Amino acid sequence: VPQEDPSGTYVQLRLHLVQTSCGKKTPRRQNCKTLESRRKPICLACYKFDHSDVPKVLDKYHNCGPSHHLAAKEIRQRDEAECRAVEDAGKATDALYLPGMFAFSKGLQA
């Protein structure tokens, strides 16, 4: 669900992926069986868009990790922290300025 604020629109997506019996090279079929004993990664994606006519991405984060991973709690905490940082993108009016920041951001736009 997108969340609106004056600095832009924040969107968070959580996807649960499963492997199927269909190969990569075969045409996409709707009746692929899921493979139960295979990896089932959980992907998290967070995006912050500005309010321009053609929205630009202010910040983004995405990570896919296995659901059975031993350090799942630590990964989830890191994901939440990263997504909070994405959500806060564009809010700070007195943002910290680091030397070279202007040149770096201009270089990205070129």
Side-chain angles (χ1 to χ4, degrees):
V1 176
Q3 297 174 1
E4 296 276 343
D5 70 40
S7 63
T9 303
Y10 171 74
V11 179
Q12 180 177 344
L13 305 168
R14 187 173 306 272
L15 306 167
H16 296 265
L17 305 178
V18 294
Q19 287 184 315
T20 65
S21 60
C22 293
K24 289 182 180 180
K25 302 212 185 263
T26 59
R28 297 187 189 265
R29 290 180 269 160
Q30 299 296 322
N31 58 351
C32 296
K33 294 181 181 179
T34 60
L35 301 174
E36 292 301 320
S37 61
R38 300 297 174 100
R39 294 177 292 158
K40 296 179 182 177
I42 299 173
C43 299
L44 177 68
C46 304
Y47 295 92
K48 180 78 175 262
F49 300 96
D50 67 3
H51 286 302
S52 61
D53 291 338
V54 179
K56 294 181 183 176
V57 177
L58 296 173
D59 201 1
K60 64 183 175 182
Y61 171 78
H62 25 72
N63 182 34
C64 289
S67 59
H68 66 279
H69 194 274
L70 296 175
K73 184 176 181 180
E74 289 82 7
I75 292 171
R76 189 168 40 252
Q77 289 172 345
R78 184 195 69 214
D79 286 348
E80 289 171 1
E82 292 286 345
C83 282
R84 274 194 301 275
V86 169
E87 186 175 8
D88 292 340
K91 286 184 180 179
T93 55
D94 57 345
L96 175 67
Y97 176 78
L98 299 173
M101 187 182 297
F102 179 76
F104 181 74
S105 64
K106 285 297 179 186
L108 288 176
Q109 294 175 0

